[in-house]
Amino acid sequence: MDSKRSYSTMLYIGLAGILGALARFGFSTIWNPSTEVVFPWGTFFCNLAGCLLLGFLVFTDKLRIPAKLQMAITTGFIGSFTTFSTFSYETVNMLRQGHMILALLYVLGSLWGGLLITWLGIRLAKSIQGGNLS
């Protein structure tokens, strides 16, 4: 078994996944306090914050994060902190409730916002490293 698939790596990913899921649960509880909330700010924030963190971590070498820790953060923490299934469910739920414009804003904001925030994370990582910002 190589180091990427070692038992310790799987354990770190699992533990980081627990932390990511609990963090998302916390933000969702704070910003999506009931099912009657129309716009799911908690999910929106978690998905965008995950994009920023992933874009930053994948493109920064200066922090010298050990490979197992980076995999635990990216696959475990960010993987469970962000959620495509909840985003999809919330969008469908908004459409079912007749909030067409809000659903469209949620989809476009999540997609384009995620792309923009990921790009910003990459630029931030490159600026820390003193590299090319293109």
Side-chain angles (χ1 to χ4, degrees):
M1 186 177 282
D2 63 24
S3 66
K4 272 187 149 181
R5 297 181 185 172
S6 71
Y7 292 118
S8 63
T9 301
M10 287 188 268
L11 178 64
Y12 297 146
I13 290 171
L15 292 173
I18 291 170
L19 294 175
L22 289 173
R24 179 162 60 92
F25 175 74
F27 285 116
S28 293
T29 301
I30 293 169
W31 287 327
N32 305 346
S34 72
T35 57
E36 296 177 18
V37 171
V38 176
F39 194 86
W41 288 106
T43 307
F44 186 71
F45 170 78
C46 289
N47 286 337
L48 294 185
C51 289
L52 179 69
L53 189 57
L54 186 63
F56 178 78
L57 287 176
V58 169
F59 283 92
T60 188
D61 296 329
K62 215 162 198 167
L63 297 177
R64 300 181 196 265
I65 299 172
K68 286 183 179 181
L69 179 59
Q70 185 166 8
M71 186 165 291
I73 294 170
T74 56
T75 303
F77 184 84
I78 297 173
S80 64
F81 185 65
T82 59
T83 173
F84 186 75
S85 57
T86 301
F87 159 74
S88 299
Y89 167 76
E90 290 166 342
T91 301
V92 169
N93 200 35
M94 281 189 261
L95 292 171
R96 289 181 59 219
Q97 293 177 355
H99 301 291
M100 304 295 178
I101 301 296
L102 208 53
L104 181 65
L105 290 174
Y106 187 42
V107 169
L108 293 177
S110 295
L111 178 61
W112 288 105
L115 293 171
L116 175 66
I117 295 293
T118 301
W119 178 76
L120 289 174
I122 293 168
R123 285 186 59 96
L124 179 63
K126 287 184 174 182
S127 71
I128 288 173
Q129 295 181 142
N132 183 3
L133 294 180
S134 60

